[in-house]
Amino acid sequence: MPRLAPTALKLTTQEREKLGQMLNRHSTPQQIALRAKIVLLADEGRNHHEIGRELEISLKMARLWRKRWMEGQEKEIPVAERLCDGQRSGTPAKFELEQILHLFKLDCDDPNEYNRPISQWTNRELAAEMVEQKIVIEISPRHVGRLLAEAELKPHQSGYWLNPPRPKF
């Protein structure tokens, strides 16, 4: 039984140029560059085996990115977005950006403003204050710590709230 050739890709000149620019840019992540190479080789008429051998990837990966590219073309998705990862399963984010920004503001404020008898915030105190102010329904001190660490926010080290700048008149 003869094998079926993969569906041919037909890139526009503009798409080919964009992919070439992405490959030439040093800041392009390696996985995006690899996907761009797969698409360009598929446009040259190469089959999955040839692409896999040349780029040292699996047939499954070559097939996947040819298919995703073609689906993106049909939906007229921009070139850069076609090469990005697809939606992943999992639970949605638990907190909205606005709630996280409230946490950051709280962390930068003096705890005495909120009638807390402490000199600097702890993760436990921040979590309790966020619940008390009804910013969130619940949040663990550990998650507060992760959010602050991710933002590299450390007002307790800067002493900003102890000596805030005074307005100049």
Side-chain angles (χ1 to χ4, degrees), residues 66-116:
R66 181 188 300 257
K67 179 182 170 210
R68 280 204 189 163
W69 182 267
M70 292 173 72
E71 288 170 355
Q73 263 182 333
E74 290 172 10
K75 295 177 185 174
E76 298 181 6
I77 297 173
V79 171
E81 287 181 36
R82 289 183 215 169
L83 300 175
C84 292
D85 289 331
Q87 281 293 96
R88 294 186 181 265
S89 61
T91 58
K94 198 169 183 181
F95 302 105
E96 294 178 13
L97 179 61
E98 190 175 320
Q99 293 170 313
I100 295 170
L101 292 175
H102 275 289
L103 168 66
F104 296 164
K105 183 197 175 301
L106 258 179
D107 193 38
C108 292
D109 289 345
D110 184 353
N112 293 320
E113 291 177 27
Y114 300 94
N115 298 322
R116 297 275 175 177

Side-chain angles (χ1 to χ4, degrees), residues 20-107:
Q21 289 171 356
M22 291 173 84
L23 283 174
N24 291 333
R25 221 179 291 134
H26 294 290
S27 60
T28 302
Q30 290 299 303
Q31 64 186 14
I32 301 295
L34 178 63
R35 294 167 187 173
K37 288 177 190 175
I38 293 169
V39 171
L40 287 170
L41 290 173
D43 182 52
E44 291 175 7
R46 308 257 184 108
N47 65 31
H48 302 296
H49 289 283
E50 292 168 337
I51 294 171
R53 257 184 264 122
E54 185 166 332
L55 299 178
E56 297 179 0
I57 60 171
S58 68
L59 293 175
K60 183 179 177 183
M61 186 173 186
R63 258 187 231 113
L64 171 77
W65 287 104
R66 181 188 300 257
K67 179 182 170 210
R68 280 204 189 163
W69 182 267
M70 292 173 72
E71 288 170 355
Q73 263 182 333
E74 290 172 10
K75 295 177 185 174
E76 298 181 6
I77 297 173
V79 171
E81 287 181 36
R82 289 183 215 169
L83 300 175
C84 292
D85 289 331
Q87 281 293 96
R88 294 186 181 265
S89 61
T91 58
K94 198 169 183 181
F95 302 105
E96 294 178 13
L97 179 61
E98 190 175 320
Q99 293 170 313
I100 295 170
L101 292 175
H102 275 289
L103 168 66
F104 296 164
K105 183 197 175 301
L106 258 179
D107 193 38

